[in-house]
Amino acid sequence: SQDPVFIAARPADASSPIIVPAVAHVSGAQGTFWKSDITLFNPTSVPMTVSFALLEDPTRPERTVDIAPLMSVAIDDVVTWLGAEGKGTLVVRAIDSQAAPVVTSRTFTTREDGGTYGQAIEAIDPSAFTEKSAITGLKSSGGFRTNIGLVNVAAESVSVNLQLVSKEGVVASTSTMVAPRGSIQTAAA
C-alpha cells in the first residue's frame, strides 16, 4: 500500500458505544470499489463479546464476535459481513465488559497493480463530540482535494455551520449543512 496511516488506537469507556464514522462496500469514481476492514483488540484479561450494527439501518440484526483476552480479531469487508452494502456508520459495543475493545478501521480500494489506496478512519467515542472543531491543512488544487465527513448519532437531523478560513485568517466561505442521522461527506472547497 502507498497510503500512509496513523491510527491512534485507544480503548474507550465500555459504557458508551464506539463509532466508526464511515464504513463502505460501494462503487466509487473512476471504476474504484471501496470497502472497509476493521480490527478489534481485547485489552482485558477476560473474554469479551462485541456487537456491531449500522447506525443507518436499525432494522438489520446486530452481529457479535467473541474476542479472547489480549487477542485481536480482524473483520474484512465489515459491511458485507453485516449482510449489507453501501456506506454507513458502524456502531461497536462491548457487551457486559469492564472495558471497550480497541477498534481500528481502514477504508480502501484496490489498484490495477494489486496495491491498495485508502485511509484509516479513526474510531471515536461519541462523548468526545464537540460543538466546535477545527480542521487544519486543507488543500484543494488540481492534484489535491479535501473532503469533510460529518457523523450525527442523534435521532434527529442537526444543522452544521462550516466556515473556511484562509491561512491569512480571512473567512473565505461559509455554508450550512443538514446532517441526518449517520454520516455524510462533502468536499471542503
Side-chain angles (χ1 to χ4, degrees), residues 1-7 106 117-120:
S1 165
Q2 299 269 335
D3 48 316
V5 175
F6 169 77
I7 301 171
R106 181 169 180 266
Y117 174 79
Q119 72 178 52

Side-chain angles (χ1 to χ4, degrees), residues 23 52-63 78-91 152-154 180-183:
V23 292
F52 303 86
L54 290 173
L55 183 68
E56 294 84 355
D57 192 358
T59 62
R60 184 172 300 281
E62 292 185 354
R63 288 202 59 185
V78 68
V79 174
T80 298
W81 180 79
L82 284 167
E85 52 185 51
K87 57 187 177 180
T89 305
L90 185 67
V91 180
N152 174 16
V153 296
R181 180 177 176 87
S183 60

Side-chain angles (χ1 to χ4, degrees), residues 107-181:
T107 297
F108 63 97
T109 188
T110 303
R111 300 184 325 217
E112 288 182 17
D113 66 4
T116 63
Y117 174 79
Q119 72 178 52
I121 298 178
E122 186 175 350
I124 50 179
D125 179 342
S127 66
F129 289 0
T130 64
E131 287 193 23
K132 289 188 176 187
S133 294
I135 305 169
T136 61
L138 303 182
K139 194 170 192 176
S140 182
S141 67
F144 296 93
R145 127 185 135 191
T146 299
N147 290 330
I148 296 174
L150 304 172
V151 65
N152 174 16
V153 296
E156 305 82 28
S157 295
V158 296
S159 291
V160 179
N161 297 314
L162 301 173
Q163 189 175 60
L164 184 61
V165 180
S166 72
K167 63 183 177 183
E168 292 82 21
V170 176
V171 176
S173 69
T174 60
S175 65
T176 300
M177 294 180 57
V178 175
R181 180 177 176 87

Side-chain angles (χ1 to χ4, degrees), residues 8-20 39-44 48-50 90-104 122-129:
R10 57 187 179 274
D13 179 350
S15 64
S16 62
I18 298 167
I19 302 295
V20 179
T39 302
L40 302 105
F41 172 70
N42 176 356
T44 72
M48 177 183 289
T49 299
V50 179
L90 185 67
V91 180
V92 181
R93 296 180 197 276
I95 299 172
D96 298 327
S97 179
Q98 297 174 348
V102 176
V103 180
T104 60
E122 186 175 350
I124 50 179
D125 179 342
S127 66
F129 289 0

